[in-house]
Amino acid sequence: MPSAEFEAAAIKIKEVTVSPSNDNLLLLYALYKQATVGDNNTSQPSHGACAVLQEYHHRHHYQQQHRSNNMNGTFDFKGKAKWGAWTEKKGLSKEDAEKQYIALVASLAP
């Protein structure tokens, strides 16, 4: 179960007025998923939107502005990037992912 500090960071990042860079958005996504789910055991997306990614978009409105506008079966470049970023965190403990997420949010939303 995520810590209260992690939950507070997840709320705080939604309140930023300037969208983080694409690299930071990918890192936020990867750390969030690693902290809440653990290692990525999903199939790599190739067409359309992965249900895991859609769930994250719904929970994190700041990402919605970066969603693919064409999620109707065309190649999902953003989904693949997110999948890859999360997969790179494989082996990172949920606790360490939480700590990194909290620190990143603090640097982006002081």
Side-chain angles (χ1 to χ4, degrees):
M1 180 168 182
S3 69
E5 190 177 6
F6 177 82
E7 294 291 344
I11 292 168
K12 185 176 183 179
I13 196 63
K14 292 183 215 176
E15 299 169 354
V16 297
T17 56
V18 177
S19 182
S21 70
N22 286 336
D23 288 342
N24 281 330
L25 285 172
L26 283 173
L27 186 54
L28 284 165
Y29 173 81
L31 291 171
Y32 181 90
K33 293 304 287 186
Q34 191 69 19
T36 58
V37 177
D39 289 344
N40 183 359
N41 294 315
T42 65
S43 298
Q44 184 175 15
S46 59
H47 290 88
C50 178
V52 171
L53 299 177
Q54 286 180 329
E55 177 270 333
Y56 183 77
H57 285 303
H58 291 295
R59 292 190 63 188
H60 291 75
H61 77 326
Y62 68 90
Q63 289 245 352
Q64 287 181 350
Q65 60 190 309
H66 298 283
R67 287 179 72 177
S68 171
N69 292 327
N70 190 0
M71 298 178 89
N72 60 358
T74 60
F75 198 73
D76 187 4
F77 291 106
K78 290 181 183 182
K80 283 189 79 156
K82 290 176 183 179
W83 183 91
W86 180 16
T87 299
E88 288 176 6
K89 298 300 174 193
K90 187 173 187 169
L92 182 67
S93 72
K94 288 183 175 185
E95 295 77 18
D96 287 341
E98 270 197 30
K99 289 175 188 175
Q100 290 180 27
Y101 181 89
I102 292 164
L104 181 57
V105 169
S107 73
L108 297 172

